Amino acid sequence: MKVGLLEDFKGNVTALWNAENLVVINGKEEEISLAYGRLSNFMDLDILIGKNFLDGEINFLRQVYGIIIDGSNIAKKINFENFKAELTLGNIAISSAKVFDDFVTFFFPFPIRNCSINYSIVYEVLDYDIMRELHRITKLGGKVRIIIKDKLHGGLSVDDIMKFIIKFDVEKISWKDGFWIIDVIKKRR
């Protein structure tokens, strides 16, 4: 049985967005740095342990890992309104992705052609690898809406979220019902 433990830079158990290391325990312990990419460093695990996961992180990670332990609780999926987008990540209504009315389950890398998506929504999943993949598959002028619970409601501050916005230009930041909504656009560079 392989168990993965997400740790921050101090060695404390943490969520995916804040993880610096993945400690894999399988009879012996192996530490994998997640400083420059998280999902691309993940491997087959039976159990993933973290703390204070964002809801979308749980939904996204459950596509690969059968058991996710969030602190002392076994993680459960949550429900959130259904969006009309070509691609959604972290949304329980879709689970991991909806591409042009066909349900597709995937983890990483995305099995989608370059520059083929106009509009994507990311619900409570923050990762550098995800943002790079979204940039790759988004058409020039295409948009991505990132929805993250605010810090008062157990989520993140805008400053924490903005650290993950790479390769896109921020079009609009708004707040609604305890969630930060960040609209980004892919422009010619």
Side-chain angles (χ1 to χ4, degrees):
M1 176 180 291
K2 280 189 183 177
V3 177
L5 181 66
L6 293 170
E7 293 183 345
D8 64 14
F9 70 96
K10 293 181 181 177
N12 299 317
V13 177
T14 191
L16 176 64
W17 73 269
N18 195 38
E20 293 291 326
N21 294 307
L22 172 65
V23 178
V24 178
I25 303 162
N26 185 18
K28 60 180 182 173
E29 190 173 300
E30 176 186 2
E31 190 171 299
I32 299 168
S33 174
L34 303 177
Y36 298 107
R38 288 175 172 74
L39 296 180
S40 57
N41 288 308
F42 276 50
M43 55 183 62
D44 293 331
L45 300 171
D46 298 304
I47 300 172
L48 181 64
I49 301 171
K51 187 174 182 182
N52 300 321
F53 282 107
L54 297 170
D55 294 329
E57 288 178 337
I58 292 169
N59 295 334
F60 190 71
L61 292 169
R62 282 188 59 81
Q63 299 306 309
V64 175
Y65 305 116
I67 300 174
I68 297 175
I69 299 176
D70 185 1
S72 60
N73 301 315
I74 294 181
K76 294 179 174 56
K77 297 180 184 181
I78 64 145
N79 201 352
F80 197 74
E81 66 184 89
N82 193 3
F83 292 100
K84 304 245 187 287
E86 293 169 324
L87 173 76
T88 61
L89 300 172
N91 184 338
I92 185 60
I94 305 300
S95 261
S96 70
K98 181 178 181 183
V99 181
F100 306 111
D101 296 326
D102 295 324
F103 288 95
V104 178
T105 299
F106 60 82
F107 190 64
F108 184 86
F110 298 174
I112 300 170
R113 280 182 278 155
N114 294 351
C115 302
S116 61
I117 302 287
N118 284 310
Y119 186 59
S120 302
I121 295 175
V122 178
Y123 172 70
E124 293 219 312
V125 180
L126 282 177
D127 183 79
Y128 295 115
D129 289 332
I130 288 175
M131 293 309 294
R132 279 190 284 273
E133 280 292 279
L134 285 170
H135 190 269
R136 179 185 66 78
I137 67 172
T138 302
K139 291 180 180 178
L140 191 61
K143 297 182 181 187
V144 177
R145 174 169 279 179
I146 301 162
I147 302 169
I148 304 287
K149 202 178 308 167
D150 72 11
K151 198 166 189 162
L152 292 173
H153 293 89
L156 306 173
S157 70
V158 169
D159 291 342
D160 289 332
I161 297 167
M162 294 308 293
K163 293 174 188 173
F164 291 88
I165 309 299
I166 57 174
K167 297 192 172 200
F168 287 96
D169 292 327
V170 175
E171 189 176 61
K172 179 181 173 187
I173 299 175
S174 56
W175 182 89
K176 182 179 180 185
D177 298 327
F179 288 87
W180 289 110
I181 301 168
I182 299 153
D183 292 320
V184 297
I185 188 167
K186 181 177 178 179
K187 292 186 177 177
R188 188 176 312 260
R189 297 226 171 211

